[in-house]
Amino acid sequence: MIQIGIISVYLTLLLGLGLFTKRLFRGTSKDYQLASSSIGPFLLLMSVFGTTMTAFALVGSTGESYKEGVGVYGLLASSSGLIHSLCFFLIGVKVWSLGKRHGYSTQIQLFRDRLESDKIGLILFPVLVGLIIPYLLIGVMSSGAVINGVTEGAFTTWFATSDYGVPTWLGSLVVCGVVLLYVFYGGMRGTAWANAFQTMVFMVLGVVTFVFIANKIGEAANPDSSGFFDNLRAASEQVLEKNPSRLKRTTDEKDANKYKDLYKKWETLAHYNWAVKNKGLVFTPEQAEAVKKAQENFPKKTVPNYEMVVAAGYAAENGLIDLTDEEKRIALFVQDDRAFDPAKDPLVDGEGTPLPLGAYPRIPGIETEKSLKIFADRIGHPDALLDENDPAKGKKWSRKQAVGIYKAGNWAPEKPHPISQLKFLTYFFIPLSVGMFPHLFQHWLTARRGGNFKLVVVAHPIFIMIVWVPCVLIGVWATSAVIDGRPVIPPQFPPNVVLAKLVKDMTTPVLGGFLTAGILAAIMSSLDSQFLCIGTIFTNDIVVHYFGGRKISDKQKLWLTRSFIIGIVIITYLFSLAEPRRVFQMGVWCFSGFSALFPLVFAALYWRKLTKMGAYAAVLGAITSWCYLFYQSDFGNNPHYEVELAPGWGVMPVVAMIATSIVLMVAVSLVTRPPSKETLDKFFPKG
Amino acid sequence: MNGNPATYAIWLAVLLMIGLHQDVWNWDNDRLVFGFMPVALFYHACFSVAAGILWFLATVVAWPEELEALDAEADRNSGMAEVGTEGGKES
């Protein structure tokens, strides 16, 4: 309950800030949308950085490094430090100067002028909004997940289906409401101030979180450690011993052997379960006694489903499992909860090669359904004891924990994935997305002077490091951390909730409340700009340009912007109620789409030969390739999806999207009529 | 952009940084720097600092000249706006 109190106070403070900035609001649509281009260097840095660092940076990076290891920092953080500043330098500054000279307040206005195309907005607007909605979703979903994770067990009888914490739908709803209110009243000026405040909050509290969690994990790993640095060492050495692959970008031999052993045991389990259910395998009383003894003597009782694993091992060793090759293959699909019908679905491909497990998707939601049934008597309030008479058995399980244990005990173990060098190299294209983020575009235009960009360009890579390094370290440590003999993060735990779980379990309730406020600060400092920007685009580029002209008053523009923002918040919120995907993966897909549009903005500013038709071709190429590849990746559900240039040469899908966009843009531009000399002189002045 | 040799040096340095980002020599290295920092993470944290330094140099030697004139104009307008502001509203 303490956490809920602190989070509520923080959200109220933020609302207060929004209302305060309303007093600074000058009442014009330009002030609402661009803060009358009056933002100084510090506020510009904090608002641009706060906007760029989303839930992706805190929640996503911790969860992803928990799954994939330290390579995550190189994949997106260090590359972003270089490429984001490059984009600020090459695109941001140029856009600001053109905006200053010609009065643009959105990307579409600039493209319309540069390309002499009245209709470019009609094609670009749906694409930008379509790509920004998944970006908004990352924030909305994460805020609900974080609040739920941290408040788990806060209620005694309410919200049992949300593990007695604030339900994700309610957390997301409150965060959306707060952001909406301060954006509604304060506009860009309120957003810039709120961003600056929140960026400071999450940077300071991020460091505090790191120190607390590091000490806690380190002390548990080595009770003799004394001091902070000893704790850091103990935490990392623990990973080196248990999960060495997480400290590098290849698969360690130890982890590879562990996987092979686990997979073999899992196959045996699948065959055993199939034999029990379909071939009438039953132990004799003597065999059952021997199995019981083996289960009692099993050394690692924390291994999920260990009773069944031991029984399966016994049956296999004693030749009790008698299945044909076909039955064995069917058993694997069934054990892994794949949507596979043995009566009609094939087991081999056209050439007779056995199909891999991934050939059939998992049955959606099956893990929740089964775990709730199997572990019904173990799920409950996280503060209640599993057995009142034996406290040593521990406390009741949360639903998230039960689902994780079900997955770890029944599904095929996850194969360790090294990060390929080609994939690592092609991740470099993803940070180019900032060149086309409409909300950043709007932030650039708020600068009072071009020189204000200098601080942004220089400090951005350092700020990224300050935020990401602790998150990545915490995520990696979480893979191996054990407290009181139990893993801190249960197996197969949802990555989006790893940070919240650590904050809840490893800090005091008061600090946990503050730290959650810090995480929410990072999330909200992006949501606000994104909400505001799409409202601005809708008003200026669609309604006023195509329908209103001079008939729409400034006050009406203001209300149009606000109304569209409310509409988008509602749509995003409704989407967030659907099944969540990994925040990091969703972010990568969303950024890839914006990166695919980067060639367009670069060419518009630096290539005189770009034509209207070339721009249309680039946008259509980018979005078509994005849709196709997103579909191919099972709508983002396959986190390891790559585009294969040749066997073994997989690259990030963003490469194919950018290549499509460039090829179409250049080819079409070279054969179509360029813009007039007046336009080219306006955008490419001589000298 | 400025066309002076220092500007070209900056762009060359950016290309070099892109090359240095691909630290193939650290791929299979799980050494812990200072006993706690995985070398792959340490290298890329240093890379972030180097990027900050590079961009600082870029703002010093390769900052677009045309911005200076625009900034001077912005400064003049901001002075005029202050004079022309009445009761917090733009006049």
Side-chain angles (χ1 to χ4, degrees):
Chain A
M1 274 315 219
I2 294 172
Q3 291 101 320
I4 295 178
I6 295 172
I7 296 167
S8 306
V9 169
Y10 178 74
L11 294 178
T12 313
L13 256 175
L14 211 53
L15 277 181
L17 186 71
L19 291 176
F20 168 73
T21 51
K22 184 177 178 250
R23 297 177 55 171
L24 302 173
F25 177 41
R26 298 177 186 174
T28 62
S29 59
K30 193 182 180 202
D31 196 65
Y32 188 77
Q33 294 165 355
L34 296 178
S36 299
S37 298
S38 60
I39 300 294
F42 178 72
L43 209 52
L44 186 69
L45 165 68
M46 297 309 258
S47 56
V48 165
F49 182 70
T51 303
T52 324
M53 290 298 108
T54 56
F56 183 81
L58 295 177
V59 179
S61 65
T62 310
E64 198 65 12
S65 50
Y66 164 76
K67 294 289 279 185
E68 310 287 344
V70 291
V72 167
Y73 185 89
L75 280 180
L76 266 176
S78 54
S79 53
S80 294
L82 186 71
I83 300 295
H84 284 185
S85 288
L86 178 73
C87 289
F88 298 156
F89 200 97
L90 286 181
I91 311 289
V93 170
K94 191 98 175 162
V95 159
W96 176 85
S97 65
L98 287 168
K100 199 84 183 166
R101 281 197 198 105
H102 308 299
Y104 304 128
S105 50
T106 67
Q107 281 167 320
I108 291 174
Q109 287 172 347
L110 184 145
F111 285 124
R112 200 185 285 135
D113 245 19
R114 162 68 180 86
L115 302 167
E116 295 178 344
S117 167
D118 192 59
K119 302 285 186 293
I120 187 77
L122 292 178
I123 180 173
L124 210 46
F125 176 74
V127 171
L128 292 175
V129 173
L131 285 174
I132 214 162
I133 284 183
Y135 199 174
L136 288 167
L137 262 177
I138 296 170
V140 174
M141 262 169 38
S142 304
S143 56
V146 166
I147 294 177
N148 174 257
V150 172
T151 58
E152 200 179 278
F155 300 95
T156 45
T157 50
W158 289 5
F159 306 127
T161 54
S162 300
D163 292 326
Y164 300 89
V166 176
T168 46
W169 63 265
L170 183 58
S172 296
L173 185 67
V174 170
V175 165
C176 279
V178 169
V179 176
L180 191 60
L181 275 173
Y182 79 73
V183 170
F184 200 88
Y185 286 113
M188 180 52 95
R189 194 178 298 279
T191 300
W193 278 100
N195 275 2
F197 170 66
Q198 301 205 83
T199 305
M200 285 188 280
V201 167
F202 80 70
M203 286 183 80
V204 171
L205 289 179
V207 174
V208 176
T209 313
F210 174 72
V211 173
F212 251 80
I213 293 177
N215 276 333
K216 201 89 176 181
I217 294 178
E219 279 163 13
N222 178 12
D224 299 330
S225 69
S226 57
F228 180 58
F229 281 101
D230 261 9
N231 289 333
L232 294 178
R233 280 188 209 108
S236 290
E237 277 163 11
Q238 191 168 235
V239 184
L240 193 58
E241 190 195 320
K242 293 180 185 171
N243 293 290
S245 302
R246 295 291 201 281
L247 300 175
K248 52 187 180 182
R249 282 160 281 179
T250 53
T251 301
D252 193 89
E253 208 184 324
K254 213 173 176 180
D255 286 328
N257 290 337
K258 195 160 84 181
Y259 168 74
K260 269 187 211 156
D261 182 45
L262 281 174
Y263 192 82
K264 211 170 162 191
K265 280 184 181 150
W266 177 78
E267 272 186 327
T268 308
L269 177 69
H271 298 158
Y272 168 75
N273 280 339
W274 180 263
V276 169
K277 280 177 198 153
N278 301 283
K279 306 279 281 193
L281 170 61
V282 184
F283 289 132
T284 62
E286 294 77 35
Q287 288 167 341
E289 189 57 35
V291 170
K292 199 178 165 196
K293 206 173 247 173
Q295 285 168 339
E296 281 167 5
N297 294 334
F298 190 73
K300 289 184 179 174
K301 296 217 167 40
T302 49
V303 169
N305 210 9
Y306 78 93
E307 293 102 332
M308 295 293 275
V309 172
V310 170
Y314 178 87
E317 272 171 29
N318 292 280
L320 304 176
I321 303 172
D322 183 24
L323 304 181
T324 62
D325 284 350
E326 189 173 300
E327 284 170 329
K328 282 181 181 173
R329 284 205 291 272
I330 293 172
L332 299 186
F333 285 113
V334 173
Q335 179 69 33
D336 210 36
D337 288 329
R338 298 283 165 175
F340 168 80
D341 182 352
K344 55 179 184 183
D345 290 328
L347 285 163
V348 290
D349 63 14
E351 290 163 12
T353 314
L355 288 169
L357 285 174
Y360 296 97
R362 283 210 175 93
I363 303 164
I366 189 79
E367 67 275 31
T368 311
E369 193 187 312
K370 285 193 174 176
S371 57
L372 291 181
K373 207 164 140 191
I374 297 169
F375 304 124
D377 55 335
R378 300 191 200 184
I379 296 171
H381 195 285
D383 292 337
L385 290 173
L386 261 178
D387 183 349
E388 293 289 341
N389 303 316
D390 185 5
K393 285 186 178 166
K395 293 184 175 168
K396 291 246 182 191
W397 297 355
S398 67
R399 285 174 168 234
K400 287 190 269 301
Q401 220 171 328
V403 170
I405 289 169
Y406 171 80
K407 282 156 74 175
N410 292 278
W411 286 1
E414 282 183 34
K415 194 176 181 182
H417 277 273
I419 298 176
S420 85
Q421 292 183 4
L422 198 53
K423 188 176 178 180
F424 190 83
L425 178 69
T426 51
Y427 246 90
F428 229 105
F429 291 97
I430 291 174
L432 288 173
S433 52
V434 299
M436 263 310 278
F437 280 162
H439 48 287
L440 266 187
F441 194 98
Q442 203 172 344
H443 268 291
W444 292 334
L445 293 176
T446 64
R448 193 171 67 81
R449 305 170 81 250
N452 292 354
F453 278 86
K454 288 183 180 174
L455 186 60
V456 182
V457 168
V458 175
H460 196 78
I462 314 283
F463 274 29
I464 289 181
M465 184 195 70
I466 294 171
V467 172
W468 275 71
V469 167
C471 287
V472 169
L473 273 176
I474 286 175
V476 168
W477 290 337
T479 58
S480 315
V482 172
I483 287 188
D484 299 332
R486 289 173 197 281
V488 172
I489 302 292
Q492 298 273 12
F493 200 69
N496 296 354
V497 201
V498 168
L499 183 60
K501 173 96 179 144
L502 290 170
V503 166
K504 182 181 182 293
D505 292 355
M506 307 204 117
T507 62
T508 62
V510 173
L511 192 64
F514 279 112
L515 301 179
T516 311
I519 300 170
L520 293 181
I523 295 172
M524 291 191 290
S525 63
S526 306
L527 281 179
D528 52 11
S529 308
Q530 292 161 340
F531 285 155
L532 184 65
C533 126
I534 42 182
T536 306
I537 299 177
F538 172 72
T539 308
N540 292 353
D541 297 328
I542 301 297
V543 180
V544 174
H545 185 75
Y546 294 111
F547 304 103
R550 290 184 181 171
K551 279 178 249 163
I552 297 180
S553 71
D554 204 52
K555 203 162 193 171
Q556 284 171 321
K557 277 188 206 169
L558 202 61
W559 280 99
L560 273 171
T561 310
R562 286 170 167 168
S563 309
F564 190 73
I565 291 172
I566 294 174
I568 285 293
V569 172
I570 293 171
I571 291 171
T572 310
Y573 175 72
L574 292 177
F575 272 127
S576 77
L577 301 177
E579 191 210 350
R581 282 159 177 56
R582 261 156 79 174
V583 159
F584 194 88
Q585 298 307 327
M586 225 163 107
V588 166
W589 275 102
C590 164
F591 300 159
S592 298
F594 282 109
S595 297
L597 294 170
F598 177 83
L600 173 66
V601 69
F602 187 81
L605 300 175
Y606 292 100
W607 190 43
R608 294 171 67 93
K609 290 191 174 162
L610 173 71
T611 68
K612 174 171 80 177
M613 298 315 288
Y616 283 9
V619 178
L620 288 176
I623 199 64
T624 310
S625 54
W626 187 91
C627 289
Y628 173 73
L629 295 169
F630 189 60
Y631 169 75
Q632 289 288 314
S633 74
D634 190 18
F635 300 98
N637 269 324
N638 176 2
H640 303 291
Y641 179 73
E642 291 173 350
V643 174
E644 288 229 326
L645 298 178
W649 288 77
V651 297
M652 289 300 289
V654 67
V655 176
M657 296 176 207
I658 292 183
T660 310
S661 169
I662 292 177
V663 168
L664 288 174
M665 180 180 75
V666 172
V668 175
S669 289
L670 290 178
V671 295
T672 49
R673 193 168 57 84
S676 67
K677 188 176 174 304
E678 293 75 44
T679 297
L680 290 177
D681 287 346
K682 184 173 165 183
F683 282 85
F684 302 95
K686 289 192 177 89
Chain B
M1 298 291 125
N2 289 331
N4 62 44
T7 305
Y8 291 118
I10 292 290
W11 295 122
L12 267 177
V14 171
L15 289 177
L16 180 69
M17 288 287 283
I18 292 173
L20 287 173
H21 185 266
Q22 193 74 7
D23 57 330
V24 286
W25 53 93
N26 280 330
W27 229 257
D28 193 32
N29 190 346
D30 58 8
R31 190 166 64 88
L32 296 172
V33 182
F34 307 125
F36 76 93
M37 187 84 152
V39 72
L41 184 60
F42 180 74
Y43 177 86
H44 281 276
C46 293
F47 182 93
S48 297
V49 175
I53 295 169
L54 173 65
W55 289 118
F56 169 73
L57 294 174
T59 59
V60 174
V61 300
W63 197 246
E65 282 163 0
E66 67 266 21
L67 280 191
E68 305 296 333
L70 268 175
D71 282 352
E73 192 188 325
D75 290 341
R76 276 197 305 277
N77 288 345
S78 130
M80 281 160 67
E82 276 167 26
V83 175
T85 303
E86 208 176 280
K89 305 261 181 196
E90 279 180 353
S91 55

